[in-house]
Coordinates of all heavy atoms in Angstrom, one line a residue:
M1 N 112.6 106.7 142.0 CA 111.4 106.6 141.4 C 111.5 106.7 139.8 O 110.8 106.1 139.1 CB 110.4 107.6 141.9 CG 109.0 107.3 141.7 SD 108.5 105.8 142.5 CE 106.8 105.7 142.1
S2 N 112.5 107.4 139.4 CA 112.7 107.6 137.9 C 113.1 106.3 137.3 O 112.8 106.1 136.1 CB 113.7 108.7 137.7 OG 115.0 108.3 138.1
L3 N 113.8 105.4 138.0 CA 114.2 104.1 137.4 C 113.0 103.2 137.2 O 112.8 102.6 136.2 CB 115.2 103.4 138.3 CG 115.7 102.0 137.8 CD1 116.4 102.2 136.5 CD2 116.6 101.4 138.9
V4 N 112.0 103.3 138.1 CA 110.8 102.6 138.0 C 110.0 103.1 136.8 O 109.5 102.4 136.0 CB 109.9 102.7 139.3 CG1 108.6 102.1 139.1 CG2 110.7 102.0 140.4
N5 N 110.0 104.4 136.6 CA 109.3 105.1 135.5 C 109.9 104.6 134.2 O 109.2 104.4 133.2 CB 109.3 106.6 135.6 CG 108.4 107.0 136.7 OD1 107.5 106.3 137.2 ND2 108.6 108.3 137.2
L6 N 111.2 104.6 134.2 CA 112.0 104.1 133.0 C 111.6 102.7 132.6 O 111.4 102.4 131.4 CB 113.5 104.3 133.2 CG 114.4 103.8 132.0 CD1 114.2 104.8 130.9 CD2 115.8 103.8 132.5
L7 N 111.6 101.8 133.6 CA 111.2 100.4 133.3 C 109.8 100.3 132.9 O 109.5 99.5 132.0 CB 111.4 99.6 134.6 CG 112.9 99.4 135.0 CD1 113.0 98.7 136.3 CD2 113.7 98.7 133.9
V8 N 108.9 101.1 133.4 CA 107.5 101.0 133.0 C 107.3 101.5 131.6 O 106.6 101.0 130.7 CB 106.6 101.8 134.0 CG1 105.2 102.1 133.4 CG2 106.5 101.2 135.3
A9 N 108.0 102.6 131.2 CA 108.0 103.1 129.9 C 108.6 102.2 128.9 O 108.1 102.0 127.8 CB 108.7 104.5 129.8
A10 N 109.7 101.5 129.3 CA 110.3 100.5 128.4 C 109.4 99.3 128.2 O 109.2 98.8 127.0 CB 111.6 100.0 129.0
R11 N 108.7 98.9 129.2 CA 107.8 97.8 129.1 C 106.6 98.2 128.2 O 106.1 97.4 127.3 CB 107.2 97.4 130.5 CG 106.2 96.3 130.4 CD 105.8 95.9 131.8 NE 104.7 95.0 131.8 CZ 103.5 95.1 132.4 NH1 103.4 96.2 133.1 NH2 102.6 94.3 132.3
S12 N 106.1 99.4 128.3 CA 105.0 99.9 127.5 C 105.4 99.9 126.0 O 104.7 99.6 125.1 CB 104.5 101.2 128.0 OG 103.6 101.7 127.2
A13 N 106.6 100.4 125.8 CA 107.1 100.5 124.4 C 107.3 99.2 123.8 O 106.9 99.0 122.6 CB 108.5 101.3 124.4
V14 N 107.8 98.2 124.5 CA 108.0 96.8 123.9 C 106.6 96.2 123.7 O 106.4 95.5 122.7 CB 108.8 96.0 124.9 CG1 108.8 94.5 124.5 CG2 110.3 96.5 124.9
S15 N 105.7 96.4 124.6 CA 104.3 95.9 124.5 C 103.6 96.5 123.2 O 103.0 95.8 122.5 CB 103.5 96.2 125.7 OG 102.2 95.9 125.5
G16 N 103.8 97.8 123.0 CA 103.2 98.4 121.9 C 103.8 97.9 120.6 O 103.1 97.7 119.6
W17 N 105.1 97.7 120.6 CA 105.8 97.2 119.4 C 105.3 95.8 119.1 O 105.1 95.5 117.9 CB 107.3 97.2 119.6 CG 108.1 96.6 118.5 CD1 108.4 97.1 117.3 CD2 108.6 95.3 118.5 NE1 109.1 96.3 116.6 CE2 109.3 95.1 117.3 CE3 108.7 94.2 119.4 CZ2 109.9 93.9 116.9 CZ3 109.3 93.1 119.1 CH2 109.9 92.9 117.9
R18 N 105.2 94.9 120.1 CA 104.7 93.6 119.8 C 103.3 93.6 119.3 O 102.9 92.8 118.4 CB 104.8 92.7 121.1 CG 106.2 92.5 121.5 CD 106.3 91.6 122.7 NE 105.8 90.3 122.4 CZ 105.3 89.4 123.3 NH1 105.2 89.7 124.5 NH2 104.8 88.2 122.9
R19 N 102.4 94.5 119.8 CA 101.1 94.6 119.4 C 101.0 95.0 117.9 O 100.3 94.4 117.1 CB 100.3 95.6 120.2 CG 98.8 95.7 119.9 CD 98.1 96.7 120.8 NE 98.9 98.0 120.9 CZ 98.9 99.0 120.0 NH1 98.2 98.9 118.9 NH2 99.6 100.1 120.3
R20 N 101.8 96.0 117.5 CA 101.9 96.4 116.1 C 102.4 95.4 115.2 O 101.9 95.2 114.1 CB 102.7 97.7 116.0 CG 102.0 98.9 116.6 CD 102.8 100.2 116.3 NE 104.1 100.2 116.7 CZ 104.6 100.5 117.9 NH1 103.7 100.9 118.8 NH2 105.9 100.5 118.2
E21 N 103.4 94.6 115.6 CA 104.0 93.6 114.8 C 103.0 92.4 114.6 O 102.8 91.9 113.5 CB 105.2 93.0 115.5 CG 106.4 93.9 115.3 CD 106.9 94.1 113.9 OE1 107.0 93.1 113.2 OE2 107.1 95.2 113.5
R22 N 102.2 92.1 115.6 CA 101.2 91.1 115.5 C 100.1 91.5 114.6 O 99.6 90.8 113.7 CB 100.6 90.7 116.9 CG 99.7 89.6 116.9 CD 99.3 89.1 118.3 NE 98.8 90.2 119.2 CZ 99.5 90.6 120.3 NH1 100.6 90.0 120.6 NH2 99.0 91.6 121.0
A23 N 99.6 92.8 114.7 CA 98.6 93.3 113.8 C 99.1 93.3 112.4 O 98.3 93.0 111.4 CB 98.2 94.7 114.2
Y24 N 100.3 93.7 112.1 CA 100.9 93.8 110.8 C 100.9 92.4 110.2 O 100.5 92.2 109.1 CB 102.3 94.4 110.9 CG 103.0 94.5 109.5 CD1 102.7 95.5 108.7 CD2 103.9 93.5 109.1 CE1 103.3 95.6 107.4 CE2 104.5 93.6 107.9 CZ 104.2 94.6 107.0 OH 104.8 94.7 105.8
G25 N 101.4 91.4 111.0 CA 101.4 90.0 110.5 C 100.0 89.5 110.2 O 99.9 88.8 109.1
E26 N 99.1 89.8 111.0 CA 97.7 89.3 110.7 C 97.1 89.9 109.5 O 96.4 89.3 108.7 CB 96.8 89.5 111.9 CG 97.2 88.6 113.1 CD 96.3 88.9 114.4 OE1 95.4 89.8 114.3 OE2 96.6 88.3 115.4
L27 N 97.3 91.2 109.3 CA 96.8 91.9 108.1 C 97.5 91.4 106.8 O 96.9 91.3 105.8 CB 96.9 93.4 108.3 CG 95.9 94.0 109.2 CD1 96.2 95.5 109.5 CD2 94.4 93.9 108.7
M28 N 98.8 91.2 106.9 CA 99.5 90.8 105.7 C 99.2 89.4 105.4 O 99.3 89.0 104.2 CB 101.0 90.9 106.0 CG 101.5 92.3 106.0 SD 101.2 93.3 104.5 CE 102.4 92.6 103.4
A29 N 98.7 88.6 106.3 CA 98.3 87.2 106.1 C 97.0 87.1 105.3 O 96.7 86.1 104.7 CB 98.2 86.4 107.4
L30 N 96.2 88.2 105.3 CA 94.9 88.2 104.6 C 95.1 88.3 103.1 O 96.1 88.9 102.7 CB 94.0 89.3 105.1 CG 93.5 89.3 106.5 CD1 92.8 90.6 106.9 CD2 92.6 88.1 106.8
D31 N 94.2 87.7 102.3 CA 94.3 87.8 100.9 C 93.7 89.2 100.5 O 93.1 89.8 101.3 CB 93.7 86.7 100.1 CG 92.2 86.5 100.4 OD1 91.7 87.1 101.4 OD2 91.5 85.8 99.7
D32 N 93.9 89.5 99.2 CA 93.5 90.9 98.7 C 92.0 91.0 98.8 O 91.5 92.1 99.0 CB 94.0 91.1 97.3 CG 95.5 91.3 97.2 OD1 96.1 91.7 98.3 OD2 96.1 91.1 96.2
R33 N 91.3 89.9 98.6 CA 89.8 90.0 98.6 C 89.3 90.3 100.0 O 88.4 91.1 100.2 CB 89.2 88.7 98.1 CG 87.7 88.7 98.0 CD 87.2 87.5 97.3 NE 85.8 87.6 97.1 CZ 85.1 87.0 96.3 NH1 85.7 86.2 95.4 NH2 83.8 87.1 96.2
S34 N 89.9 89.6 101.0 CA 89.5 89.9 102.4 C 89.9 91.3 102.8 O 89.1 92.0 103.5 CB 90.3 88.9 103.3 OG 89.9 87.6 103.1
L35 N 91.0 91.8 102.4 CA 91.4 93.2 102.7 C 90.4 94.2 102.0 O 90.0 95.2 102.6 CB 92.8 93.5 102.2 CG 93.9 92.8 103.0 CD1 95.3 93.1 102.3 CD2 94.0 93.3 104.4
A36 N 90.0 93.9 100.8 CA 89.0 94.7 100.1 C 87.6 94.7 100.9 O 86.9 95.7 100.9 CB 88.8 94.3 98.7
D37 N 87.3 93.6 101.5 CA 86.1 93.5 102.2 C 86.1 94.4 103.4 O 85.0 94.9 103.8 CB 85.8 92.0 102.7 CG 85.3 91.1 101.6 OD1 84.9 91.7 100.5 OD2 85.4 89.9 101.8
I38 N 87.2 94.6 104.0 CA 87.3 95.5 105.2 C 87.7 96.9 104.8 O 87.8 97.8 105.6 CB 88.2 95.0 106.3 CG1 89.6 94.7 105.8 CG2 87.6 93.7 106.9 CD1 90.6 94.3 106.9
G39 N 87.9 97.1 103.5 CA 88.0 98.5 103.0 C 89.5 99.0 103.0 O 89.6 100.2 103.1
I40 N 90.5 98.2 103.0 CA 91.8 98.7 102.9 C 92.6 98.0 101.8 O 92.2 96.9 101.3 CB 92.6 98.4 104.3 CG1 92.7 97.0 104.6 CG2 91.9 99.2 105.4 CD1 93.5 96.7 105.8
H41 N 93.7 98.6 101.4 CA 94.6 98.1 100.4 C 95.8 97.6 101.1 O 96.2 98.1 102.2 CB 94.9 99.2 99.4 CG 93.8 99.7 98.6 ND1 93.2 99.0 97.6 CD2 93.0 100.8 98.8 CE1 92.2 99.7 97.1 NE2 92.1 100.8 97.9
R42 N 96.5 96.7 100.5 CA 97.7 96.1 101.1 C 98.8 97.2 101.3 O 99.5 97.2 102.3 CB 98.3 95.1 100.2 CG 99.4 94.3 100.8 CD 99.7 93.0 100.1 NE 98.6 92.1 100.0 CZ 98.2 91.2 100.9 NH1 98.8 91.2 102.1 NH2 97.2 90.4 100.8
S43 N 98.8 98.2 100.5 CA 99.8 99.3 100.7 C 99.5 100.2 101.9 O 100.3 101.0 102.3 CB 99.9 100.2 99.4 OG 98.6 100.8 99.2
E44 N 98.3 100.1 102.4 CA 97.9 101.0 103.5 C 98.2 100.3 104.9 O 98.0 100.9 105.9 CB 96.4 101.3 103.5 CG 96.0 102.1 102.3 CD 94.5 102.3 102.2 OE1 93.7 101.3 102.6 OE2 94.0 103.3 101.7
I45 N 98.5 99.0 104.9 CA 98.7 98.3 106.1 C 99.8 98.9 107.0 O 99.5 99.1 108.2 CB 99.0 96.8 105.8 CG1 97.8 96.1 105.2 CG2 99.5 96.1 107.1 CD1 98.0 94.7 104.8
P46 N 101.0 99.3 106.5 CA 101.9 99.9 107.5 C 101.4 101.2 108.1 O 101.6 101.4 109.3 CB 103.1 100.2 106.6 CG 103.0 99.3 105.5 CD 101.6 99.1 105.2
A47 N 100.7 102.0 107.4 CA 100.1 103.2 108.0 C 99.0 102.9 109.0 O 98.9 103.6 110.0 CB 99.6 104.2 106.9
I48 N 98.2 101.9 108.7 CA 97.1 101.5 109.6 C 97.7 101.0 110.9 O 97.3 101.4 112.0 CB 96.2 100.5 109.0 CG1 95.4 101.1 107.8 CG2 95.3 99.9 110.0 CD1 94.7 100.2 107.0
V49 N 98.7 100.2 110.8 CA 99.3 99.6 112.0 C 100.0 100.7 112.8 O 99.9 100.6 114.1 CB 100.3 98.5 111.6 CG1 101.2 98.0 112.8 CG2 99.6 97.3 111.0
E50 N 100.7 101.6 112.2 CA 101.4 102.7 113.0 C 100.4 103.7 113.5 O 100.8 104.6 114.3 CB 102.5 103.3 112.1 CG 103.6 102.4 111.8 CD 104.3 101.9 113.1 OE1 104.5 102.7 114.0 OE2 104.7 100.7 113.1
G51 N 99.2 103.8 113.0 CA 98.2 104.7 113.5 C 98.2 106.0 112.7 O 97.5 107.0 113.1
F52 N 98.8 106.1 111.5 CA 98.8 107.3 110.7 C 97.7 107.3 109.8 O 97.4 108.4 109.2 CB 100.1 107.4 109.9 CG 101.4 107.5 110.8 CD1 102.4 106.7 110.6 CD2 101.4 108.5 111.8 CE1 103.5 106.7 111.4 CE2 102.6 108.6 112.6 CZ 103.6 107.7 112.4
H53 N 97.0 106.2 109.5 CA 96.0 106.1 108.5 C 94.8 107.0 108.8 O 94.2 107.6 108.0 CB 95.6 104.7 108.3 CG 94.7 104.5 107.1 ND1 93.4 104.4 107.2 CD2 95.0 104.4 105.8 CE1 92.8 104.2 106.0 NE2 93.8 104.2 105.1
D54 N 94.4 107.0 110.1 CA 93.2 107.7 110.5 C 93.4 109.2 110.3 O 92.5 109.9 109.8 CB 92.8 107.5 111.9 CG 92.3 106.1 112.1 OD1 91.8 105.5 111.2 OD2 92.4 105.6 113.3
V55 N 94.6 109.7 110.5 CA 94.8 111.2 110.4 C 94.8 111.5 108.9 O 94.2 112.5 108.5 CB 96.2 111.5 111.0 CG1 96.6 112.9 110.7 CG2 96.2 111.2 112.4
T56 N 95.3 110.7 108.0 CA 95.3 111.0 106.6 C 93.9 110.9 106.0 O 93.5 111.7 105.2 CB 96.3 110.2 105.8 OG1 95.9 108.8 106.0 CG2 97.7 110.4 106.2
Q57 N 93.1 110.0 106.5 CA 91.8 109.8 106.0 C 90.9 111.0 106.4 O 90.1 111.5 105.6 CB 91.1 108.5 106.6 CG 91.7 107.3 106.0 CD 91.2 107.1 104.5 OE1 90.5 108.0 103.9 NE2 91.6 106.0 103.9
R58 N 91.1 111.5 107.7 CA 90.3 112.6 108.1 C 90.7 113.9 107.3 O 89.9 114.7 107.0 CB 90.5 112.9 109.6 CG 89.6 111.9 110.4 CD 89.7 112.3 111.8 NE 89.8 111.1 112.6 CZ 90.7 110.8 113.5 NH1 91.6 111.7 113.8 NH2 90.7 109.7 114.1
A59 N 92.0 114.0 107.0 CA 92.4 115.2 106.3 C 92.0 115.2 104.9 O 91.6 116.2 104.3 CB 93.9 115.3 106.4
A60 N 91.9 114.0 104.3 CA 91.5 113.9 102.9 C 89.9 113.9 102.7 O 89.4 114.2 101.6 CB 92.0 112.6 102.3
A61 N 89.2 113.5 103.7 CA 87.8 113.4 103.6 C 87.1 114.8 103.6 O 87.5 115.7 104.4 CB 87.2 112.6 104.8
P62 N 86.1 115.0 102.8 CA 85.4 116.3 102.8 C 84.6 116.5 104.1 O 84.2 115.5 104.7 CB 84.5 116.2 101.6 CG 84.3 114.8 101.4 CD 85.5 114.1 101.8
A63 N 84.4 117.7 104.5 CA 83.6 118.0 105.7 C 82.2 117.6 105.5 O 81.6 117.9 104.4 CB 83.8 119.4 106.1
R64 N 81.6 117.0 106.5 CA 80.2 116.5 106.3 C 79.3 117.4 107.1 O 79.7 117.9 108.2 CB 80.1 115.1 106.7 CG 80.8 114.2 105.8 CD 80.5 112.7 106.1 NE 81.1 111.9 105.2 CZ 81.8 110.8 105.5 NH1 82.0 110.5 106.7 NH2 82.4 110.1 104.5
M65 N 78.1 117.6 106.7 CA 77.1 118.4 107.4 C 76.5 117.6 108.6 O 76.4 116.4 108.4 CB 76.0 118.8 106.5 CG 76.3 119.8 105.5 SD 74.8 120.3 104.7 CE 75.4 120.9 103.2
P66 N 76.2 118.2 109.7 CA 75.6 117.5 110.8 C 74.2 117.0 110.3 O 73.6 117.6 109.4 CB 75.4 118.5 111.9 CG 76.4 119.6 111.5 CD 76.6 119.5 110.0
A67 N 73.7 115.9 110.9 CA 72.5 115.3 110.5 C 71.3 116.3 110.7 O 70.4 116.3 109.9 CB 72.2 114.1 111.3
A68 N 71.3 117.1 111.7 CA 70.2 118.1 111.9 C 70.1 119.1 110.8 O 69.0 119.4 110.3 CB 70.4 118.8 113.2
V69 N 71.3 119.6 110.3 CA 71.3 120.6 109.2 C 70.8 119.9 107.9 O 70.0 120.5 107.2 CB 72.7 121.2 109.0 CG1 72.8 122.0 107.8 CG2 73.1 122.0 110.3
L70 N 71.3 118.7 107.7 CA 70.9 118.0 106.5 C 69.4 117.6 106.5 O 68.7 117.8 105.5 CB 71.7 116.7 106.4 CG 71.5 115.9 105.1 CD1 71.9 116.7 103.9 CD2 72.4 114.6 105.2
A71 N 68.9 117.3 107.7 CA 67.5 116.9 107.8 C 66.6 118.2 107.5 O 65.6 118.1 106.8 CB 67.1 116.4 109.2
A72 N 67.0 119.3 108.0 CA 66.3 120.6 107.8 C 66.3 120.9 106.3 O 65.3 121.3 105.7 CB 66.9 121.7 108.6
R73 N 67.5 120.8 105.7 CA 67.6 121.1 104.2 C 66.7 120.1 103.4 O 66.0 120.5 102.5 CB 69.0 121.0 103.8 CG 69.2 121.3 102.3 CD 70.7 121.3 102.0 NE 71.3 122.5 102.5 CZ 72.6 122.8 102.3 NH1 73.4 122.0 101.7 NH2 73.1 123.9 102.8
Q74 N 66.7 118.8 103.8 CA 65.9 117.9 103.0 C 64.4 118.1 103.2 O 63.6 118.0 102.3 CB 66.3 116.5 103.5 CG 67.6 116.0 103.0 CD 67.9 114.6 103.5 OE1 67.4 114.2 104.6 NE2 68.9 114.0 102.9
S75 N 64.0 118.6 104.4 CA 62.6 118.8 104.6 C 62.2 120.0 103.8 O 61.1 120.1 103.3 CB 62.3 119.0 106.1 OG 62.9 120.2 106.6
R76 N 63.0 121.1 103.7 CA 62.7 122.2 102.9 C 62.6 121.8 101.4 O 61.7 122.3 100.7 CB 63.7 123.3 103.1 CG 63.5 124.1 104.3 CD 64.4 125.3 104.4 NE 65.7 124.7 104.9 CZ 66.8 125.3 105.0 NH1 67.0 126.5 104.5 NH2 67.9 124.7 105.5
L77 N 63.5 120.9 100.9 CA 63.4 120.5 99.6 C 62.2 119.7 99.3 O 61.6 119.7 98.2 CB 64.7 119.7 99.2 CG 65.9 120.5 99.1 CD1 67.1 119.6 98.9 CD2 65.8 121.5 97.9
A78 N 61.8 118.8 100.3 CA 60.6 118.0 100.1 C 59.3 118.8 100.1 O 58.4 118.4 99.5 CB 60.6 117.0 101.3
T79 N 59.3 119.9 100.8 CA 58.1 120.7 100.8 C 58.2 122.0 100.0 O 57.5 122.9 100.2 CB 57.8 121.1 102.3 OG1 58.9 121.9 102.8 CG2 57.5 119.9 103.2
A80 N 59.1 121.9 99.0 CA 59.3 123.1 98.2 C 58.1 123.5 97.4 O 57.9 124.7 97.1 CB 60.5 122.9 97.2
H81 N 57.2 122.6 97.1 CA 56.0 123.0 96.3 C 55.1 123.8 97.1 O 54.3 124.6 96.5 CB 55.3 121.7 95.8 CG 54.8 120.9 96.9 ND1 55.5 120.0 97.7 CD2 53.5 120.8 97.4 CE1 54.7 119.4 98.6 NE2 53.5 119.9 98.4
R82 N 55.2 123.9 98.4 CA 54.3 124.7 99.2 C 54.7 126.1 99.3 O 53.9 127.0 99.4 CB 54.3 124.1 100.7 CG 53.7 122.8 100.8 CD 53.6 122.3 102.2 NE 53.3 120.9 102.2 CZ 53.5 120.1 103.2 NH1 54.2 120.6 104.3 NH2 53.2 118.8 103.2
W83 N 56.0 126.4 99.2 CA 56.4 127.8 99.3 C 56.9 128.4 98.0 O 57.1 129.6 97.9 CB 57.4 128.0 100.4 CG 58.7 127.1 100.3 CD1 58.8 125.9 100.8 CD2 59.9 127.5 99.7 NE1 60.1 125.4 100.5 CE2 60.8 126.4 99.8 CE3 60.3 128.6 99.0 CZ2 62.0 126.4 99.3 CZ3 61.6 128.6 98.5 CH2 62.5 127.5 98.7
L84 N 56.9 127.6 96.9 CA 57.2 128.2 95.6 C 55.9 128.6 94.9 O 54.9 127.9 95.0 CB 58.0 127.2 94.8 CG 59.4 127.0 95.2 CD1 60.1 125.9 94.3 CD2 60.3 128.2 95.1
P85 N 55.9 129.7 94.2 CA 54.7 130.0 93.5 C 54.4 129.0 92.3 O 55.3 128.5 91.8 CB 55.0 131.4 92.9 CG 56.4 131.5 92.9 CD 56.9 130.6 94.0
P86 N 53.1 128.8 92.0 CA 52.8 127.8 90.9 C 53.3 128.4 89.6 O 53.3 129.6 89.4 CB 51.3 127.7 91.0 CG 50.8 128.8 91.8 CD 52.0 129.3 92.6
L87 N 53.6 127.5 88.7 CA 54.0 127.9 87.3 C 52.9 128.2 86.4 O 51.8 127.7 86.4 CB 54.9 126.9 86.7 CG 56.2 126.7 87.4 CD1 57.0 125.5 86.8 CD2 57.1 127.9 87.3

């Protein structure tokens, strides 16, 4: 059974490599304006194709507040004139 698993893993590895090569070729074929439209730079293509780009983007992005917390804060700011004493 281990020989079958080895063949399946090899097939999966080759399939993934071909998929990445095809994606790399398609992205490199785009001009800079088209790349800018989808929000990437030419220098980011290898990281995107290999799957490392999402990890670096999440690590570099600031933490965002959940929508419910933001909505509560915005509603308090919008109604601030009701609970603040008049000047």
Side-chain angles (χ1 to χ4, degrees):
M1 200 64 181
S2 65
L3 181 61
V4 173
N5 290 340
L6 179 67
L7 292 175
V8 169
R11 178 177 173 234
S12 176
V14 170
S15 172
W17 175 77
R18 290 184 67 203
R19 182 182 47 81
R20 288 189 305 273
E21 286 295 313
R22 187 172 48 246
Y24 181 81
E26 290 177 5
L27 287 172
M28 289 302 283
L30 295 174
D31 61 343
D32 289 336
R33 186 174 185 156
S34 297
L35 290 173
D37 284 346
I38 59 175
I40 62 173
H41 299 279
R42 192 164 300 278
S43 63
E44 296 174 328
I45 291 175
I48 291 170
V49 170
E50 292 299 324
F52 298 127
H53 190 263
D54 291 336
V55 174
T56 58
Q57 286 289 4
R58 282 189 221 125
R64 295 191 174 130
M65 287 189 208
V69 173
L70 188 59
R73 182 177 285 181
Q74 286 175 342
S75 67
R76 280 185 278 168
L77 289 174
T79 59
H81 66 278
R82 295 182 190 158
W83 54 273
L84 287 177
L87 296 175

